[in-house]
């Protein structure tokens, strides 16, 4: 009877273990399907373009000062707190009303070239954002999904990510996208760059070293942005990444000397050095224009062979300080082919 009781006890433990395993599997399957269902839901947008259409009807043939008043009433006041001076990229030294009237005077002539309806432009922008945002969140699943606004920002910028205490806001300049005549892949690339900047702010807001913006942080963020953009948009050209083939050839020819100088200056916060490496008008004869972006791109490409992009984005200042010197040394020794595809 003792052996039977042991056998029974063992049998019951085995049965219980199987039941627990079954329920765990079902929970995982349910959770996965629930997440998949949630992720497949279309993104929700707050669309201000219908208010913009009303403005256009009422403002036609009016002087710019009068148009500015109508725009404030019909569009800005429709959703207070969104269409600010920053959203329009106005000059902070000028009064808002003056900047708005001046912008509208030029802008109202420009939009006459837009032949599609605003509802079509809005849908087109949504399609691009849905696809680009999905691709980005697949690579960076812990990134905050922004609150989405379709706005007329009067030709300011295609995308702008605004930090808030709750969740970031993604301002989508529907009119600016329509005016730009950029290809879908170029618009998508612009969005990915903005999303990555916001994601890194989210990750490193409390890293005091990053707040100083040393040279290595600029090198890393610009390089990771270029690499991620190319990774998510393979068709994008080097020119769209702000790197020309001419610059790449020049960087490769001077690679050892450039990397040697970079390695010695990684912790520098000198504005002159940043201008030399990340400007189209470098005053340093030994540093080709935008050299920092290409070297940073190579760093991200090298590190991505060992770690996924999300872990690379999460690297803090302490980790970066350790890995960058060795990575730069390896890049200095490696050979690179200039083929226009990076």
């Amino acid at each position: 009877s003792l052996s039977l009781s042991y056998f029974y006890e063992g049998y019951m433990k085995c049965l219980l273990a199987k039941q627990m395993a079954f329920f765990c599997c079902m929970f995982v399957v349910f959770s996965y399907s629930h997440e998949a269902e949630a992720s497949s839901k279309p993104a929700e947008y707050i669309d201000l373009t219908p208010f913009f259409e009303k403005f256009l009807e009422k403002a036609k043939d009016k002087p710019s000062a009068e148009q500015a008043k109508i725009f404030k009433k019909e569009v800005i006041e429709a959703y207070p707190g969104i269409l600010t001076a920053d959203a329009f990229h106005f000059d902070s030294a000028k009064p808002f009303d003056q900047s708005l009237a001046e912008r509208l005077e030029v802008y109202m002539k420009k939009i006459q070239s837009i032949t599609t309806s605003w509802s079509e432009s809005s849908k087109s922008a949504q399609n691009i954002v849905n696809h680009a945002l999905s691709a980005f969140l697949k690579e960076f699943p812990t990134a905050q999904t922004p609150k989405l606004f379709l706005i007329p920002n009067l030709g300011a910028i295609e995308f702008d990510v605004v930090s808030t205490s709750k969740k970031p806001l993604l301002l989508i300049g529907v009119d600016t996208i329509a005016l730009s005549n950029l290809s879908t892949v170029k618009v998508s690339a612009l969005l990915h760059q903005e999303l990555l900047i916001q994601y890194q702010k989210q990750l490193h807001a409390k890293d005091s070293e990053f707040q100083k913006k040393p040279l290595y942080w600029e090198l890393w963020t610009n390089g990771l942005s270029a690499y991620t953009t190319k990774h998510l948009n393979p068709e994008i050209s080097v020119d769209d990444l702000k790197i020309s083939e001419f610059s790449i050839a020049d960087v490769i020819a001077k690679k050892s000397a450039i990397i040697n100088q970079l390695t010695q200056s990684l912790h520098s916060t000198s504005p002159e050095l940043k201008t030399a490496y990340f400007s189209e008008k470098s005053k340093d004869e030994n540093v080709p224009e935008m050299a920092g972006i290409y070297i940073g791109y190579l760093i991200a490409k090298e590190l991505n062979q060992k770690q996924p992009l999300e872990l690379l984005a999460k690297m803090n200042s302490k980790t970066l300080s350790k890995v960058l010197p060795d990575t730069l040394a390896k890049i200095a020794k490696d050979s690179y082919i200039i083929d226009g595809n990076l």
Side-chain angles (χ1 to χ4, degrees), residues 1 21 94 108 116 180 204 225 228 242-243 259 265 275 308 338:
S1 63
K94 288 184 180 180
M108 294 297 280
T116 56
S180 69
H204 306 297
S225 174
T228 300
K242 297 182 180 179
I243 319 170
I259 288 179
S265 311
T275 300
I338 307 164

Side-chain angles (χ1 to χ4, degrees), residues 9-243:
E9 184 180 351
Y11 170 77
M12 290 304 293
K13 284 182 179 179
C14 181
L15 182 62
L16 182 61
K18 286 182 178 179
Q19 289 176 333
M20 288 297 293
F22 172 78
F23 284 121
C24 286
C25 288
M26 290 302 294
F27 176 77
V28 170
V29 170
F30 173 78
S31 299
Y32 177 80
S33 61
H34 181 70
E35 288 176 9
E37 183 183 350
S39 64
S40 65
K41 290 181 180 178
E44 293 184 8
Y45 292 83
I46 296 170
D47 192 353
L48 301 188
T49 55
F51 301 102
F52 183 59
E53 287 185 285
K54 288 182 181 178
F55 154 75
L56 290 175
E57 291 173 9
K58 294 183 177 182
K60 190 177 180 180
D61 300 326
K62 297 281 195 307
S64 57
E66 186 65 24
Q67 287 176 341
K69 291 179 182 178
I70 299 171
F71 188 87
K72 285 179 71 175
K73 182 179 179 181
E74 296 295 335
V75 185
I76 295 177
E77 292 177 11
Y79 208 102
I82 297 301
L83 294 175
T84 63
D86 288 338
F88 296 118
H89 288 211
F90 284 162
D91 183 349
S92 58
K94 288 184 180 180
F96 182 90
D97 288 357
Q98 180 186 344
S99 295
L100 181 58
E102 289 176 356
R103 177 72 65 81
L104 283 170
E105 188 173 5
V106 178
Y107 173 83
M108 294 297 280
K109 297 173 184 175
K110 283 185 178 180
I111 61 169
Q112 292 176 12
S113 65
I114 299 176
T115 56
T116 56
S117 70
W118 289 105
S119 60
E120 287 176 324
S121 296
S122 178
K123 287 178 182 177
S124 174
Q126 288 183 52
N127 289 335
I128 294 172
V129 171
N130 287 342
H131 179 77
L133 190 57
S134 175
F136 184 83
L137 292 174
K138 187 175 180 180
E139 288 289 343
F140 305 101
T142 59
Q144 289 179 300
T145 304
K147 194 171 183 179
L148 306 168
F149 287 86
L150 294 157
I151 66 168
N153 60 9
L154 307 182
I157 194 169
E158 287 84 359
F159 301 103
D160 215 354
V161 182
V162 181
S163 300
T164 70
S165 57
K166 295 181 180 179
K167 66 187 305 185
L169 312 178
L170 175 59
L171 307 184
I172 304 157
V174 174
D175 56 333
T176 308
I177 293 171
L179 282 167
S180 69
N181 289 319
L182 293 174
S183 66
T184 298
V185 69
K186 289 183 181 180
V187 176
S188 178
L190 289 172
L191 177 55
H192 287 145
Q193 289 173 346
E194 286 296 320
L195 290 171
L196 187 63
I197 290 169
Q198 175 60 36
Y199 184 44
Q200 293 211 292
K201 284 181 181 177
Q202 171 194 328
L203 292 170
H204 306 297
K206 296 181 180 179
D207 193 323
S208 59
E209 179 67 15
F210 285 158
Q211 305 312 313
K212 301 174 187 175
K213 294 188 177 178
L215 184 63
Y216 77 83
W217 176 237
E218 299 287 347
L219 183 70
W220 175 239
T221 52
N222 280 281
L224 183 61
S225 174
Y227 181 77
T228 300
T229 301
K230 180 67 174 175
H231 176 76
L232 295 176
N233 307 276
E235 307 94 335
I236 208 77
S237 71
V238 292
D239 287 330
D240 293 320
L241 296 174
K242 297 182 180 179
I243 319 170

